[in-house]
Structures are given as C-alpha cells and as structure tokens.
Amino acid sequence: GILFASMHDAVSGTPLAGATITAATADGPVPIAVADQGGGVYRVTAPEQLPLRLTFTRPGYVPATLDGVVATSLREDFLEPI
C-alpha cells in the first residue's frame, strides 16, 4: 500500500526535506520504500493492512513517531508528524 507523509518544522512550518522514515511492528523492523516527493512530502510504500509504527528522523529535530499507521490500496493518508 501507499501513504504520504508530510514533514514540517513545528515552529516555522517550513517543509523538511532529507528526513529518514522507518517502520516497525511489535515483532521488529518492516521493510518500506520511501521516495522524497519534494516540499517535505514523502511517499511511503509499505505492506498493506499491517499496523505500523512509523518513525521520522532528521538531524537537528526531535524524532516523531506515529503508531497504528496502515497503508491500504484504497486510500492515501497524509500525516503531519512534526
């Protein structure tokens, strides 16, 4: 499935490029593909119907984590972690 994540500076609202996104379940890491779409938007391809913990990191910022994120073929989610 596919979902989109949008990352911005929490103070200025400036879009953040160069972030790293990882995924995991309670059983451990899950492989995903991440493509930087520009403007702070990232396209994440992940296993469908599997609740994931997504972690967003970028140097100079506090990591952000979202739990229970599910990628489906029926919708695209837009997340604002920072």
Side-chain angles (χ1 to χ4, degrees):
I2 297 172
L3 61 95
F4 288 86
S6 176
M7 293 186 63
H8 296 83
D9 182 286
V11 176
S12 70
T14 303
L16 296 175
T20 299
I21 303 172
T22 58
T25 66
D27 296 325
V30 173
I32 59 173
V34 179
D36 189 334
Q37 302 291 290
V41 176
Y42 300 83
R43 180 181 178 181
V44 180
T45 304
E48 291 185 19
Q49 306 302 329
L50 182 64
L52 299 171
R53 168 179 276 185
L54 295 181
T55 301
F56 303 81
T57 58
R58 185 173 185 274
Y61 290 86
V62 175
T65 300
L66 296 173
D67 287 314
V69 177
V70 177
T72 72
S73 60
L74 302 176
R75 72 172 198 250
E76 296 175 344
D77 295 310
F78 290 83
L79 310 175
E80 295 285 345
I82 296 179

